[in-house]
Amino acid sequence: MARSARGRRRLVRILATLATAGAMLPLAAASAGAATGAPASASAGAATTTRAQTSAASVAPGGPGTMSYFDLARKDCVGTATGTASKVWYTVADGVLSDTYEPTIDNTNVSSLQYIVTNGSTFTDLQTRDMTYTVSADPTGMACTVTATDAQHGYRLTTTYITDPGGDTVLMRTRLSAVPGSGTNVSALHLYARLDAHVNGNGGGGTQNAGANSGVVTTSGGSAIPVVSSTNTVTDATNRTYAVPTYMALADSAPAPEASVGYAGTASDGLTQLDSSHALTPYTSAPDGHIVATQELAPGPGGTLTLALGFGRTQAGAVSTAQGSLATPFALKELKYLAGWAAYDASLNRPPARYPGEPASATARLVEHYYLSANVLKASEDKTFPGAIVASLASPWGQAVPAGTDSGGEPAYFGSYREVFSRDLYEAFTGLLADGDLATARDAVRFLFDRQQLADGAMPRNSLLNGEAAPDTGGLQLDEVAYPILMDYQAGLSGDATLWADHVRPAADFLVAHGPSDGNERWEEQTGYSPSTIAAEIAGLTAASAIAAD
């Protein structure tokens, strides 16, 4: 979406005004707006929920299910609200909701959340298996819209993803519609949501079933709501002391007629049932395994609905969070979400009006890339540990990494690139300096020195979000010791005498004592004299001398 600088500033003002106006709407109006999602289906949903309650105790067979896996690193979109009131991040991969992090940026809870469509008799379509898709985004890049199409059966699903700026909820606004000219009667189709979980970073299943999750179906407000949870906070990452019990609830703006929890890849898996019989046989409990939840949906007028994936430390807390996010119309949540990012963008350095060597027609596209890059950098910072900017919101080859294995008798923690490497953090830091976010850049410097630096002045290869050693930490890399010194100087912190005495000087002394070659070079595959590492050491020591002079 090409927009001039003047147009972007106008957009910031409009979004801020609308978000403020939306916040002042009477609660009654907001409730009425949410209620209009499905007037006719509410009573039907309440009736089917009553039927589900009569079979309350139906435990799913087939546990613990197949081995769980993490998800694709090839993300279509990433997003989170600005500020710390909302500590949830969404990603989209293969056109569906993928890794969803909460309450910290390293805690993945979702393998996938996607739609299933059936006509109840002859076909069942799974979004990633049977549909093609396209992706678009708003000007900030933080709100993502996916259009999934089944040309054979003549329908499409258009879904916009955001997070609730006021709580730990991912919101998905979806419209089921006919492909123009297809003649498909979408009101005759049955829509389901399928949630493949690995709550708290593990998903169980398979022979080891490590870090198993549990699922239940509860009822609230006449709606069947599946909740998947893990109360385990102990893994082989012994230093990850900030882990907490996590519950994840899937709620709908229109009361869901039916929901089920089961074990992945077995007869209790909703997808298995819908593939074989085009109907759902619900179960209300599935303890200790690789859990999938399947929820029947009731789109409102125009084929629209809003899904809320809410998180909490208890089951009641997760349900309350999800339903609380649905109490305000999606459009108002989206306005506030976008206004947050528009305001952040307005605080940054403006990109060039012209780019040398590029035609004038390319300027708008490059400006959008500038803001997208700046926003992804900011979105990659954790909201509990300021300055902890992870190397990536994805895990390379994640879809091939089991999420239910153990290590030393404990569930294996898979931090992957969702950890802090000082080399990668330096790259993010230079971007923050370039775009003008000096506050976050300085937080990154202080994180490295206050939390990650070792007693001898060195830096570990990588760390958890609290700065402590991760299970895969190991090996000395001298460029990672040098970069924080350079960052201190570039961020304008050289006047901090305490920072110099307690952190910068010990790091410089370590470089002098161990350089120019010690341990692995930057690709971690060989030793020797690396031009890249030596260049970083020279820059770091030069910066240290300048700081000492100050």
Side-chain angles (χ1 to χ4, degrees):
M1 300 180 188
R3 280 181 170 82
S4 65
R6 180 179 298 175
R8 177 177 285 274
R9 293 195 295 273
R10 183 170 180 269
L11 176 64
V12 171
R13 292 195 298 270
I14 292 172
L15 287 174
T17 301
L18 289 174
T20 302
M24 295 173 65
L25 285 176
L27 289 177
S31 301
T36 57
S41 62
S43 59
T48 54
T49 300
T50 302
R51 290 197 298 273
Q53 288 174 328
T54 62
S55 59
S58 54
V59 179
T66 59
M67 173 61 72
S68 56
Y69 286 83
F70 296 99
D71 202 32
L72 294 165
R74 188 181 64 251
K75 304 302 185 188
D76 300 311
C77 319
V78 299
T80 186
T82 56
T84 58
S86 174
K87 294 185 177 183
V88 62
W89 294 255
Y90 82 84
T91 70
V92 171
D94 209 14
V96 303
L97 188 70
S98 180
D99 288 295
T100 300
Y101 307 107
E102 193 277 348
T104 50
I105 202 169
D106 62 346
N107 196 51
T108 179
N109 299 283
V110 174
S111 177
S112 65
L113 172 56
Q114 59 182 308
Y115 290 112
I116 301 172
V117 179
T118 179
N119 65 352
S121 57
T122 62
F123 75 84
T124 294
D125 291 336
L126 178 67
Q127 196 170 346
T128 53
R129 183 186 67 193
D130 303 305
M131 304 179 202
T132 60
Y133 74 95
T134 59
V135 183
S136 62
D138 79 294
T140 72
M142 293 290 103
C144 174
T145 298
V146 174
T147 301
T149 303
D150 186 324
Q152 180 182 359
H153 299 117
Y155 67 85
R156 63 172 51 132
L157 292 159
T158 305
T159 303
T160 297
Y161 299 84
I162 62 169
T163 65
D164 184 347
D168 290 2
T169 304
V170 176
L171 290 167
M172 301 164 50
R173 182 65 169 175
T174 298
R175 180 172 180 254
L176 173 63
S177 61
V179 173
S182 66
T184 298
N185 178 14
V186 294
S187 65
L189 300 177
H190 302 276
L191 182 63
Y192 297 84
R194 181 180 188 265
L195 174 61
D196 186 348
H198 49 241
V199 178
N200 250 0
N202 293 105
T207 56
Q208 291 185 311
N209 196 34
N213 293 178
S214 291
V216 298
V217 176
T218 187
T219 55
S220 180
S223 184
I225 299 176
V227 181
V228 186
S229 64
S230 171
T231 57
N232 177 59
T233 59
V234 178
T235 65
D236 65 335
T238 55
N239 292 327
R240 197 170 175 271
T241 54
Y242 50 89
V244 291
T246 300
Y247 292 74
M248 179 170 65
L250 183 60
D252 180 7
S253 55
E258 201 160 55
S260 179
V261 290
Y263 299 102
T266 73
S268 61
D269 185 334
L271 177 61
T272 302
Q273 298 169 8
L274 290 165
D275 271 340
S276 61
S277 66
H278 312 297
L280 184 67
T281 301
Y283 298 95
T284 58
S285 175
D288 300 322
H290 175 190
I291 307 303
V292 288
T294 308
Q295 185 179 48
E296 185 178 2
L297 305 173
T304 61
L305 61 92
T306 301
L307 285 184
L309 188 64
F311 293 84
R313 310 284 71 85
T314 64
Q315 177 176 308
V319 172
S320 176
T321 298
Q323 292 190 317
S325 295
L326 291 171
T328 300
F330 179 87
L332 293 182
K333 291 290 187 183
E334 184 180 27
L335 278 173
K336 188 172 182 180
Y337 178 87
L338 295 177
W341 280 108
Y344 175 74
D345 288 351
S347 72
L348 302 179
N349 294 333
R350 294 181 186 175
R354 289 291 301 273
Y355 292 81
E358 294 287 343
S361 59
T363 298
R365 174 179 56 84
L366 294 171
V367 167
E368 286 194 356
H369 287 182
Y370 171 88
Y371 284 108
L372 173 61
S373 299
N375 293 344
V376 169
L377 287 179
K378 181 60 178 175
S380 300
E381 180 188 22
D382 187 63
K383 300 182 184 183
T384 299
F385 300 98
I389 299 174
V390 296
S392 175
L393 281 163
S395 300
W397 307 286
Q399 74 277 11
V401 179
T405 57
D406 63 28
S407 174
E410 301 291 353
Y413 171 70
F414 182 54
S416 185
Y417 285 2
R418 299 179 296 258
E419 295 174 347
V420 184
F421 300 71
S422 69
R423 180 189 306 111
D424 297 74
L425 185 51
Y426 174 72
E427 302 297 338
F429 166 88
T430 58
L432 292 165
L433 283 187
D435 70 33
D437 187 354
L438 183 60
T440 303
R442 286 179 169 177
D443 283 343
V445 177
R446 293 189 174 96
F447 171 86
L448 290 174
F449 282 131
D450 291 342
R451 287 191 173 273
Q452 196 182 82
Q453 190 175 37
L454 303 176
D456 60 2
M459 293 286 175
R461 170 181 172 269
N462 59 297
S463 78
L464 300 169
L465 300 181
N466 59 358
E468 299 295 328
D472 58 349
T473 296
L476 174 65
Q477 296 170 35
L478 289 174
D479 62 335
E480 293 202 303
V481 183
Y483 282 128
I485 303 174
L486 188 58
M487 291 165 67
D488 177 274
Y489 179 72
Q490 291 179 313
L493 295 173
S494 57
D496 189 327
T498 301
L499 201 58
W500 158 255
D502 294 348
H503 299 289
V504 176
R505 181 169 182 169
D509 289 344
F510 188 92
L511 285 178
V512 171
H514 293 82
S517 176
D518 191 333
N520 299 121
E521 54 83 49
R522 71 188 186 99
W523 289 115
E524 307 167 2
E525 296 168 350
Q526 59 190 16
T527 59
Y529 294 94
S530 163
S532 174
T533 297
I534 293 173
E537 292 176 275
I538 293 171
L541 290 172
T542 301
S545 67
I547 296 170
D550 289 343

